[in-house]
Amino acid sequence: MTDPDAKRMLAEVQAAKAELARRAVAPIWYHPALGLLIGGLVAVQGARLSFIGAYYAAFSIGLILLVAAYKKHTGLWVSGYRPGRTRVVAIGLAVTVTLIMLGALWLQRAAGVTWAMPLGGAMTALIVTAGGFAWEAAFRRDLRDGGPL
């Protein structure tokens, strides 16, 4: 391979990543919908078991529909835990949601705060929504900076 060929191929790879970064924008409603789904998952933990089971089914269907909508809109799907800046955002969100859920469960069960789970769900919905936009920005930045796909 000659030096000009290598430079041309590298330029093509960079152009492809720039195009992916341009396309990797979820519909404006995507992150709020994901936030509501995960916030609901937290909120229902204090409910009756039958209601939790029904929500898990609705949650699963909602996730499948969100993935399909994202793929249709962008033409791609990427793991949230992929290497790069996005992994930091995804792990941070997972830890935050877990801590909110555990804290709300403790408040409800040990301290008798009946509104702890709905409040935890609302907090989670807001944090996941903001975190979704942050994850998307990190992914696009990774692509533009030549990071991993």
Side-chain angles (χ1 to χ4, degrees):
M1 180 179 300
T2 64
D3 192 38
D5 288 339
K7 286 181 182 177
R8 181 186 49 77
M9 292 172 111
L10 182 58
E12 288 176 11
V13 168
Q14 290 169 335
K17 284 186 175 185
E19 174 59 17
L20 277 177
R22 186 192 65 74
R23 285 181 28 210
V25 178
I28 192 69
W29 51 265
Y30 178 86
H31 300 299
L34 180 62
L36 287 172
L37 280 174
I38 296 176
L41 193 63
V42 172
V44 301
Q45 296 309 306
R48 291 188 331 267
L49 193 56
S50 60
F51 188 77
I52 294 172
Y55 187 81
Y56 280 16
F59 175 82
S60 298
I61 292 167
L63 282 181
I64 290 167
L65 292 173
L66 277 178
V67 169
Y70 187 89
K71 284 181 178 180
K72 182 177 180 183
H73 184 78
T74 65
L76 60 113
W77 180 254
V78 182
S79 168
Y81 293 101
R82 57 175 288 286
R85 293 177 179 106
T86 55
R87 186 176 287 174
V88 174
V89 176
I91 290 172
L93 283 171
V95 168
T96 301
V97 169
T98 300
L99 291 174
I100 289 171
M101 186 182 296
L102 291 174
L105 279 168
W106 179 84
L107 282 172
Q108 180 177 330
R109 294 188 179 160
V113 180
T114 57
W115 47 266
M117 295 313 297
L119 177 62
M123 290 172 49
T124 297
L126 293 173
I127 289 168
V128 169
T129 298
F133 286 108
W135 187 97
E136 184 177 281
F139 178 58
R140 296 177 76 206
R141 204 171 319 120
D142 276 351
L143 289 175
R144 282 192 298 267
D145 293 349
L149 294 175

